[in-house]
Amino acid sequence: MTFRRIYPFVSGFGYSRPLISRSSSIRYKYSVPRVRYGFQKRPVHMPADDPNFISIVDNPPTLIRSGRRHGPGLIILALIPITAFALGTWQVLRLGWKTELIAKLEDRLIRSPLPLPPQIDPSAVKDFDYRRVFASGHFRHDQEMLIGPRMHDGNNGYLVITPLERDGNGTTVLVNRGWIPKKFRHQFDRKDSLTTGEVTVEGLLREPWKKNIFTPENKPELGEFYFPDVEQMAKFTGSQPVWIEETMEPDLLKAYDREAKGVPIGRAAEVELRNNHTQYIFTWYALSAATTIMLWMVIRKPPSEIMRKVRQNKEW
């Protein structure tokens, strides 16, 4: 049997293969036919045919970072530790000032009480703040003023302010007698508190209070007082603008008895100034240290691969 070569081709995948007839398939494994392979046609135009073509070897791409690595957020993050450190340092100075002030006021408290002079210069009161004094005279209950509401041990009430009219050449001064419950607002409900005759009051000479922006204005004509405006109250009662806070020994049973009868509960002879600057120092310095570490981590962090791109040269 002779082997017949079949020349028709079937093209596929870039080459051609011959078709073999059924009759010659028996001896096909013993003979290798001539195979004609086909090739893809060359494109009409190649980049290298352009005389202005520049190879990537001659003009390599530039590796750049797309976008900015750190924006305005880094500036804000850098300002936080600086500001916190400055505030912590300021609190250190405040702590020294407050400690010195408390020590000075406590030194005045341990001294023996002074008799209140007949005539007092109101501008000199600040030099005797928290100084223990005593004065004698008669209470003007007809000019009594209630400041409130004021809280005491969780109960609502008022501060009783009564002018003390001193005999002789003495002037009238304002005395903060202490706190009473709200139910004893009217004088006829607390007869025991209306002391008659000459009395001697011992208390602390204090500077005039300062009003905050959230406290409403007093209404003296209506008998409504929300904060102790010493100048206003002195003018209203014809007294000197001198403020004395009556003191009493801390005694729980005595305080309960006074509260039940509506007798004003005086304050303790102690300095009531808050000194929380140590906590503020720790808070600000801790915040400064924490944000400094965060800033260091952000700066040291390498840029991610997503933020890097290969940009083609503009001359391509």
Side-chain angles (χ1 to χ4, degrees):
M1 179 182 294
T2 61
F3 180 79
R4 293 187 307 166
R5 290 182 175 85
I6 307 300
Y7 289 99
F9 292 90
V10 178
S11 299
F13 304 101
Y15 65 93
S16 301
R17 59 186 178 86
L19 294 176
I20 302 173
S21 66
R22 183 182 300 272
S23 60
S24 61
S25 60
I26 299 175
R27 305 211 35 186
Y28 177 74
K29 59 180 179 178
Y30 302 104
S31 301
V32 178
R34 179 186 299 177
V35 180
R36 180 182 300 175
Y37 295 94
F39 298 93
Q40 292 182 341
K41 293 184 178 180
R42 182 176 179 273
V44 177
H45 177 73
M46 295 292 290
D49 297 334
D50 188 354
N52 297 323
F53 173 74
I54 300 176
S55 173
I56 191 174
V57 178
D58 300 326
N59 192 9
T62 304
L63 192 64
I64 66 168
R65 177 168 47 89
S66 65
R68 290 178 295 180
R69 180 179 177 185
H70 303 298
L74 183 66
I75 299 177
I76 298 175
L77 186 60
L79 290 177
I80 293 177
I82 297 174
T83 305
F85 184 83
L87 290 174
T89 304
W90 178 65
Q91 289 297 330
V92 171
L93 301 177
R94 292 277 297 174
L95 176 63
W97 169 79
K98 183 63 72 66
T99 303
E100 183 179 353
L101 177 62
I102 293 176
K104 181 174 65 175
L105 298 179
E106 289 180 343
D107 179 68
R108 295 175 182 176
L109 283 177
I110 62 176
R111 298 181 182 182
S112 300
L114 294 173
L116 194 67
Q119 300 292 331
I120 304 171
D121 183 7
S123 61
V125 173
K126 63 180 181 179
D127 298 326
F128 294 89
D129 194 25
Y130 277 94
R131 190 69 168 86
R132 296 170 59 194
V133 297
F134 65 89
S136 299
H138 296 81
F139 279 131
R140 291 293 304 272
H141 296 295
D142 58 320
Q143 295 182 337
E144 180 183 271
M145 296 166 286
L146 300 180
I147 299 178
R150 287 291 189 275
M151 301 298 295
H152 178 74
D153 292 339
N155 299 319
N156 199 3
Y158 299 92
L159 295 178
V160 180
I161 314 302
T162 309
L164 179 66
E165 190 178 64
R166 296 185 290 171
D167 299 331
N169 296 327
T171 56
T172 303
V173 295
L174 300 174
V175 178
N176 177 10
R177 301 181 61 195
W179 179 88
I180 60 171
K182 184 178 180 179
K183 63 180 180 180
F184 292 111
R185 176 176 182 176
H186 301 289
Q187 290 185 353
F188 56 79
D189 292 328
R190 46 182 173 88
K191 297 295 184 181
D192 294 338
S193 66
L194 305 179
T195 307
T196 58
E198 185 175 2
V199 296
T200 299
V201 176
E202 181 176 337
L204 303 178
L205 190 63
R206 293 299 317 279
E207 283 189 277
W209 292 33
K210 296 180 180 180
K211 175 181 175 295
N212 60 48
I213 60 176
F214 302 104
T215 305
E217 296 291 337
N218 293 335
K219 300 177 181 179
E221 64 280 357
L222 300 178
E224 297 178 0
F225 296 89
Y226 302 101
F227 76 102
D229 188 337
V230 178
E231 294 285 345
Q232 182 187 56
M233 299 173 77
K235 186 181 295 185
F236 182 71
T237 58
S239 308
Q240 260 199 307
V242 178
W243 181 269
I244 299 176
E245 296 184 353
E246 187 175 3
T247 58
M248 59 175 288
E249 293 293 332
D251 189 333
L252 186 60
L253 296 179
K254 187 176 181 179
Y256 283 157
D257 182 63
R258 284 180 169 238
E259 183 178 353
K261 296 179 180 180
V263 179
I265 302 175
R267 59 162 295 170
E270 59 186 19
V271 179
E272 296 179 347
L273 293 179
R274 294 183 299 176
N275 190 5
N276 299 327
H277 297 288
T278 303
Q279 302 177 14
Y280 300 150
I281 291 172
F282 174 79
T283 301
W284 289 121
Y285 278 153
L287 178 61
S288 178
T291 51
T292 299
I293 295 174
M294 293 174 58
L295 178 63
W296 179 83
M297 293 175 63
V298 170
I299 295 176
R300 295 284 296 176
K301 183 179 179 181
S304 61
E305 292 299 327
I306 300 178
M307 298 178 62
R308 304 178 65 89
K309 292 182 179 179
V310 176
R311 183 180 63 185
Q312 293 182 345
N313 192 290
K314 63 182 180 179
E315 298 180 359
W316 280 13

